[in-house]
Amino acid sequence: MKKISRALWLLLLAGYLLFPAASRAEIIEYIVIHYPSISPNGDGTRDSSLVEVNLPGPALQLAVTLEDTLRTTVYDTLLGESDPAAGLHTTTWNGTNSLGFLLPEGEYRLVFFATDGDTTETYVRNVVIDLTTPVVALDRIEPGVYTPDIAGTPENVLIYFDLVGLQDRDTLTVKVTDPLGLTESISHDITTDGLHSVSWSAEESAEDGLYTVDLRASDEAGNASSDRGFINVDTKGPELVVIDPVPA
């Protein structure tokens, strides 16, 4: 089995998207695109991505170009080196063309080319510009005061919310945090826009007080929105106190 270098193991452990070269590759050992999906909107979250190419030995030429999905248009040359040395070579993918103008949202290709004069290698990787934020907005929580220990009251809380712009591979999380800071994630299978609801319940022995409901919708490019609501949990109910009448 081929040995993996320590640097390669560190990249794998860090969770970066790594593309090993083909088994017969001689020039490019591996390619790392830190964030294939970026949202270059200036918010500081995945506005750009570091791109790494590792060469196990010296080469004659190394190039990385940004192209359309049909590979008929080259928007920019991100890296172009003559006689590149062995080791790590880096560049940045930020969603702009060669003039510095931001490209439209959509899918593009990063094309990696290397040659040592005798052998030529070309690899193509998909990248995405995504500027659309999936939006989640709390609609209502019913009931607002939850009394699981009182007969005749709802056994579950329904959390209603609206979703706009949710796409494939986007993530929606719904979490409820109790007054002690313990957080529970509510499972669901929601993948479409519209008005939705999830159900939550507590044990009769649950902590009384104000519970926080946190909604968050996010995508792979780092675009995200959130909203928050509250549930008042009262497991005790009112106490009936009988006061003896004062003797006449």
Side-chain angles (χ1 to χ4, degrees):
M1 183 176 66
K2 182 179 179 181
K3 292 183 178 180
I4 299 178
S5 67
R6 182 174 183 274
L8 187 54
W9 274 118
L10 291 174
L11 289 168
L12 287 168
L13 291 173
Y16 297 127
L17 186 56
L18 183 144
F19 303 95
S23 59
R24 292 182 296 174
E26 299 178 3
I27 306 174
I28 296 178
E29 181 181 15
Y30 64 81
I31 296 165
V32 179
I33 304 173
H34 285 220
Y35 303 117
S37 295
I38 62 172
S39 56
N41 53 15
D43 66 355
T45 302
R46 298 193 180 185
D47 289 323
S48 62
S49 173
L50 186 66
V51 179
E52 304 178 2
V53 184
N54 195 73
L55 305 181
L60 186 65
Q61 185 178 359
L62 174 64
V64 181
T65 56
L66 176 65
E67 305 183 13
D68 65 355
T69 55
L70 299 177
R71 295 191 58 195
T72 58
T73 301
V74 177
Y75 295 109
D76 196 9
T77 299
L78 304 184
L79 182 66
E81 295 185 14
S82 297
D83 301 316
L88 191 64
H89 299 259
T90 63
T91 185
T92 300
W93 136 252
N94 63 8
T96 62
N97 61 17
S98 59
L99 300 177
F101 294 109
L102 182 64
L103 294 167
E105 281 190 284
E107 189 172 307
Y108 297 87
R109 302 287 187 267
L110 286 183
V111 180
F112 299 81
F113 171 84
T115 182
D116 60 5
D118 296 322
T119 304
T120 296
E121 294 176 4
T122 301
Y123 303 98
V124 180
R125 303 294 183 249
N126 296 336
V127 290
V128 175
I129 298 175
D130 183 358
L131 298 171
T132 301
T133 300
V135 177
V136 60
L138 181 65
D139 183 78
R140 66 189 187 275
I141 298 175
E142 295 185 359
V145 178
Y146 178 49
T147 54
D149 194 28
I150 299 179
T153 62
E155 297 181 356
N156 299 286
V157 175
L158 291 177
I159 303 166
Y160 292 87
F161 51 89
D162 282 297
L163 283 171
V164 178
L166 196 71
Q167 301 178 21
D168 291 344
R169 295 182 292 184
D170 289 355
T171 301
L172 171 69
T173 59
V174 183
K175 297 182 179 181
V176 178
T177 304
D178 71 12
L180 299 179
L182 300 176
T183 299
E184 175 187 352
S185 295
I186 301 176
S187 61
H188 63 83
D189 57 359
I190 298 170
T191 58
T192 59
D193 288 351
L195 179 64
H196 301 277
S197 68
V198 294
S199 177
W200 175 80
S201 62
E203 300 292 335
E204 295 178 0
S205 59
E207 189 75 20
D208 275 9
L210 204 60
Y211 285 57
T212 304
V213 178
D214 285 303
L215 308 168
R216 188 175 191 272
S218 59
D219 61 25
E220 292 181 331
N223 301 301
S225 66
S226 60
D227 206 349
R228 171 173 286 184
F230 300 93
I231 306 167
N232 189 354
V233 175
D234 183 3
T235 62
K236 304 300 187 292
E239 293 184 3
L240 179 63
V241 179
V242 179
I243 301 176
D244 294 333
V246 178

